[in-house]
Amino acid sequence: MPIKTLHIPTPDGQADAFAAFPDVGGRYPGVLMYADGFGIRPVLREMARELAGHGYYVLVPNLFYRHGPAPVIELPEHMGEEVRPAIFAQLMPFIEAHTLERVLSDADVYLRFLTTQPEVGAGPVAVTGYCIGGLLAMRTAAAHPSQVAAVAGFHCPVGADGPDLLSRLTAQVHLGHAEGDMTPEALGELNQALDAAGVSYTSEIYPGTIHGFTMSDTDAFSASGLKRHWDRLLPLLDRTLVNS
């Protein structure tokens, strides 16, 4: 799968990004993928390539472009528990500065860019994300109900915005929670809120996982958790995009 480096004009400057897509020509359903708090790095390129290999155009923007091109801080090849506190001490100012206003402004730009690429077919798109990126994916889907047909979030703080966010969702939703993040009781409460909002969804705890389980460059990585993520994500996209 080819990787194309991109620069997307925004009201606040220029967002660096990359796209992965099949190299056999044609037009493909679009997917906007939001990285976790560590941002764009080799593991995100691997995941985007994997998804593109199933017949999608995958756009991955640098969430923190206002602070510089990705990676906005120097990252080791493997982010073990011993280095995470120091890394997050550097990243937290960027995360805290990424206000809801900025999220929604960027989402408008990213979706406009995605849907006008020559490799992207007409029709709805999907949004997926990891950790904080999962929350951004949900916010994007809620703000663009006519464009976003599917949204998926993995080990993400989905409850951060409360029921107001859920009430604006029209996309089909999948939420994959880390066992270390979500108790069965909390899952029940979240799913009740999704039911009350009338959302079409699946929401489950992935057994034996901790926060960050999809990311192979961290100690949290779970091969079974990543496989389950693909087993849930790909059918969701197939239902909502390929067969829309």
Side-chain angles (χ1 to χ4, degrees):
M1 298 299 111
I3 290 279
K4 180 191 290 186
T5 300
L6 300 165
H7 295 89
I8 305 173
T10 80
D12 293 332
Q14 196 174 77
D16 53 305
F18 74 87
F21 51 93
D23 59 358
V24 292
R27 303 177 74 191
Y28 303 92
V31 180
L32 174 60
M33 178 185 285
Y34 287 118
D36 60 4
F38 293 127
I40 292 176
R41 58 199 193 280
V43 69
L44 264 297
R45 292 184 174 85
E46 292 169 13
M47 295 176 77
R49 277 197 179 104
E50 174 75 17
L51 183 53
H54 292 274
Y56 299 97
Y57 181 104
V58 185
L59 176 66
V60 186
N62 171 18
L63 304 181
F64 308 131
Y65 69 87
R66 293 173 179 85
H67 308 280
V72 292
I73 66 168
E74 186 174 347
L75 296 172
E77 288 186 11
H78 185 84
M79 287 170 284
E81 291 303 313
E82 72 283 357
V83 298
R84 283 174 67 93
I87 293 172
F88 268 105
Q90 296 178 74
L91 288 172
M92 280 309 297
F94 308 144
I95 294 172
E96 291 169 352
H98 202 54
T99 61
L100 179 59
E101 181 181 11
R102 286 183 172 184
V103 171
L104 297 182
S105 174
D106 288 347
D108 292 347
V109 172
Y110 298 152
L111 288 180
R112 190 179 311 118
F113 183 89
L114 174 63
T115 55
T116 55
Q117 296 311 291
E119 301 89 354
V120 176
V125 301
V127 190
T128 186
Y130 305 89
C131 184
I132 186 177
L135 178 59
L136 304 190
M138 295 285 281
R139 289 173 172 174
T140 299
H144 295 271
S146 64
Q147 281 186 287
V148 179
V151 59
F154 301 93
H155 46 84
C156 65
V158 68
D161 289 1
D164 179 60
L165 172 67
L166 304 183
S167 69
R168 291 181 284 114
L169 287 170
T170 59
Q172 292 190 36
V173 175
H174 175 70
L175 298 172
H177 311 286
E179 190 174 59
D181 285 346
M182 179 79 73
T183 65
E185 293 75 21
L187 177 68
E189 292 174 3
L190 172 61
N191 291 353
Q192 285 179 5
L194 288 161
D195 287 332
V199 177
S200 174
Y201 74 94
T202 55
S203 171
E204 61 180 322
I205 294 170
Y206 287 20
T209 58
I210 61 174
H211 185 76
F213 62 81
T214 57
M215 298 297 159
S216 62
D217 59 355
T218 73
D219 287 351
F221 177 63
S222 164
S224 62
L226 180 62
K227 181 181 183 301
R228 193 182 189 99
H229 144 280
W230 290 122
D231 289 345
R232 298 296 188 267
L233 178 60
L234 293 172
L236 172 67
L237 300 184
D238 187 63
R239 288 194 308 271
T240 55
L241 302 187
V242 177
N243 296 317
S244 62

